[in-house]
Amino acid sequence: MKKNVFAMAIAACMAASLAACGGAGTAETTGAQTTAAQTTAAQTTAAEAGETASAEETTPAETKAEAEAAGGVLVMATNAEFAPWEYYEGDKIVGIDPEIAQAIADKLGMTLEIEDMAFDSIIPAVTSGKADFGAAGMTVDEDRMVFVDFTDTYANASQVIIVKETSEIAGSADLSDKKIGVQLGTTGDLLATDLAGDDNVERYNKGFEAVQALLQDKIDAVVIDSAPANVFVEQSQGLKVCDEAMSQEEYAIAVAKGNTELLDKINGALKELKEDGTIDAIMNKYIPAE
Ligand code: GLN
């Protein structure tokens, strides 16, 4: 039943205005123009200061122009509110997914562009062609497979519960009558709805907002993916992650349904990146083994 609600939400968003769900096209152009303008400004400043513009300042623009001419641009849709998978460092989107996507783009000789949007806008952006693929710690899910195709998986994850250190909630068995915060349209949303009923679930656009609500005692718990849960708890005072892995999930990249050409290319690149240790190295960089 709730599974259908999940699928219907995706369908509704797609059926409504696709423009409202994504908007990648505009941002893309602006981003490229800004980058070009900034590069020029940086070079001018360096020249004015009597310095030779360093390789670092000139290379990205040249590389990008070359790559665009050669292989084209690959637009990735994500929701950069999900450290360590994707988040902002200054105005740059970094994390495991951007690094894996960059490595894939490099293998394909293409230029990667990243579009940040709400999590539940990612699939509509991919199906409408505003983005070529979605990479967002996205769990392979059969309801999503009505709209997109998933590549081979590249990581495992599970849903966990964040509570205040003083909370008596110890696991999912204690959640049935509790207020649970989740990120809208996620597998955590589905699971929490299952456990506590629709009326007890508070849906936020960002995991961070759910965690703030928990800190302010507006809700009793947050259900979210394990690695982001650990990051949120590290960054806040007085929170803990319960010791229960509530689901077994696998992350993969989503492409438009039937886009087997891109699916095969990404799978080919992913296979090589798994075999040569690149994926492991990226994962270990962001989630160091204990
Ligand atoms: N893995 C979860 C899902 O796919 C959450 C992803 C996210 O919030 N970025 O629904």
Side-chain angles (χ1 to χ4, degrees):
M1 173 61 193
K2 72 211 167 313
K3 284 258 173 192
N4 290 341
V5 173
F6 187 24
M8 278 162 58
I10 300 174
C13 187
M14 286 167 53
S17 165
L18 287 170
C21 291
T26 322
E28 213 179 298
T29 318
T30 317
Q33 283 166 351
T34 312
T35 313
Q38 280 168 352
T39 310
T40 315
Q43 285 166 349
T44 312
T45 315
E48 277 169 3
E51 296 164 12
T52 313
S54 76
E56 252 178 30
E57 281 160 346
T58 51
T59 308
E62 284 162 13
T63 308
K64 188 174 171 181
E66 279 167 19
E68 275 174 10
V73 176
L74 209 45
V75 179
M76 158 175 159
T78 197
N79 173 234
E81 304 285 349
F82 204 61
W85 299 97
E86 40 270 325
Y87 57 101
Y88 279 93
E89 223 168 62
D91 57 2
K92 192 166 186 279
I93 298 173
V94 299
I96 298 170
D97 289 325
E99 288 211 22
I100 291 177
Q102 186 59 58
I104 291 169
D106 289 347
K107 286 249 178 241
L108 303 180
M110 298 178 81
T111 302
L112 180 70
E113 281 184 12
I114 302 178
E115 300 293 342
D116 184 21
M117 60 192 71
F119 182 76
D120 68 338
S121 295
I122 295 173
I123 288 181
V126 171
T127 57
S128 70
K130 285 173 194 292
D132 297 302
F133 67 89
M138 190 181 282
T139 303
V140 175
D141 173 278
E142 64 182 31
D143 289 317
R144 291 177 179 155
M145 284 161 77
V146 173
F147 306 100
V148 290
D149 287 334
F150 283 104
T151 62
D152 296 335
T153 62
Y154 61 88
N156 299 316
S158 60
Q159 297 300 308
V160 295
I161 307 166
I162 308 177
V163 288
K164 284 200 150 175
E165 263 168 5
T166 51
S167 173
E168 281 167 12
I169 296 171
S172 53
D174 303 323
L175 287 182
S176 61
D177 55 351
K178 299 295 189 303
K179 287 269 177 229
I180 308 173
V182 298
Q183 213 183 340
L184 175 72
T186 60
T187 46
D189 184 352
L190 279 178
L191 189 61
T193 308
D194 222 3
L195 289 168
D198 199 44
D199 288 350
N200 280 327
V201 177
E202 298 290 333
R203 299 178 174 87
Y204 302 87
N205 272 323
K206 305 174 183 183
F208 174 77
E209 290 165 359
V211 171
Q212 290 304 307
L214 176 62
L215 287 166
Q216 293 161 11
D217 291 318
K218 289 180 182 160
I219 54 175
D220 303 304
V222 172
V223 170
I224 196 162
D225 299 46
S226 46
N230 292 333
V231 172
F232 283 129
V233 168
E234 268 166 34
Q235 289 173 349
S236 318
Q237 295 272 312
L239 298 180
K240 65 179 179 189
V241 178
C242 294
D243 232 1
E244 178 186 351
M246 293 192 291
S247 59
Q248 302 295 324
E249 303 183 14
E250 289 183 311
Y251 291 167
I253 293 170
V255 303
K257 193 108 203 111
N259 189 351
T260 44
E261 191 191 335
L262 183 58
L263 190 75
D264 291 347
K265 280 186 182 171
I266 294 179
N267 276 337
L270 265 178
K271 188 169 185 287
E272 287 176 26
L273 294 167
K274 282 180 189 171
E275 283 169 3
D276 72 9
T278 306
I279 302 280
D280 280 345
I282 294 171
M283 299 280 288
N284 289 336
K285 175 176 162 188
Y286 287 91
I287 311 178
E290 274 148 38

